Amino acid sequence: MALSSLLLLCIIAYKVWHMESKPIDFVCDRDSRRDMNTEAEMKGALEDCDFLTILPSAIQLPCSKLHKASWDRKSAQEKRADLSASLAALLGSVRVARTLSPSGCVLTQLERLEHMVNNYLHIVTHLDIKGPVGSPVLSCTPQSTHSLSTVLQTLSRLLTGKLELLMADLTHVCP
């Protein structure tokens, strides 16, 4: 199990490094983005954790809901800032929860989540979007939870919603 987790981490790290060197791949290739999203694998791994339903500290949920008409009126810079703020807030609270977690399954899943969110945040903040950099502003009043399953579900909605809509706005750079 540990060897397969290490192998998976190496594959993800390779994909993220590869995407950093070619950001157009991240924007233009939906499969690359899907491969980065390990949320489904993490949910499966939760079944192996006996007491993972309650985390040692609350995790701030990312702002995953959106009003389509309002979202469409935002510039690409504003969309990136919204997404970055949500990911940064999530990353900060996952780091706190990770430092308070005992070793074992809970800690492993929080570490995986931290790496995944950090990778997305790094990529989103370094996308080549012309214009002034929007200052990160959360588009919702943050909620929090002690359930890692709820965190994963909300993150999945963020990635399949706001992230994919932002990528759709950037497809003009695709060959």
Side-chain angles (χ1 to χ4, degrees):
M1 173 95 177
L3 184 58
S4 63
S5 295
L6 180 61
L7 180 60
L8 178 63
L9 184 60
C10 290
I11 291 169
I12 291 169
Y14 171 77
K15 286 184 177 288
V16 169
W17 175 81
H18 183 67
M19 285 180 219
E20 281 183 332
S21 64
K22 297 181 180 178
I24 197 163
D25 290 345
F26 184 80
V27 173
C28 300
D29 186 0
R30 189 174 189 174
D31 290 335
S32 292
R33 293 190 303 276
R34 275 195 201 138
D35 289 345
M36 257 186 74
N37 186 350
T38 59
E39 178 264 338
E41 293 169 26
M42 290 178 68
K43 270 192 173 177
L46 289 182
E47 295 173 6
D48 295 338
C49 297
D50 296 333
F51 53 90
L52 193 58
T53 56
I54 299 176
L55 293 168
S57 70
I59 292 182
Q60 185 174 319
L61 296 174
C63 297
S64 62
K65 293 181 181 177
L66 62 92
H67 182 261
K68 183 78 166 91
S70 298
W71 183 260
D72 289 342
R73 285 192 297 271
K74 289 183 177 187
S75 69
Q77 295 84 2
E78 291 171 318
K79 291 174 184 178
R80 175 178 50 193
D82 179 308
L83 192 54
S84 295
S86 293
L87 290 168
L90 175 61
L91 182 61
S93 59
V94 167
R95 284 182 174 154
V96 169
R98 182 183 51 80
T99 61
L100 299 174
S101 291
S103 62
C105 190
V106 174
L107 181 59
T108 301
Q109 296 310 313
L110 286 171
E111 287 172 345
R112 288 181 69 190
L113 179 60
E114 180 182 359
H115 289 296
M116 183 172 77
V117 173
N118 191 45
N119 290 339
Y120 276 107
L121 180 60
H122 182 77
I123 289 169
V124 168
T125 56
H126 289 90
L127 286 171
D128 188 21
I129 298 176
K130 304 296 183 220
V133 175
S135 52
V137 178
L138 290 173
S139 61
C140 71
T141 303
Q143 308 244 342
S144 60
T145 184
H146 284 272
S147 167
L148 186 52
S149 181
T150 302
V151 173
L152 292 173
Q153 184 178 27
T154 306
L155 177 60
S156 180
R157 283 194 308 265
L158 178 71
L159 299 176
T160 58
K162 289 182 179 182
L163 178 71
E164 287 303 319
L165 289 172
L166 176 59
M167 295 303 105
D169 289 352
L170 302 177
T171 56
H172 64 278
V173 301
C174 298

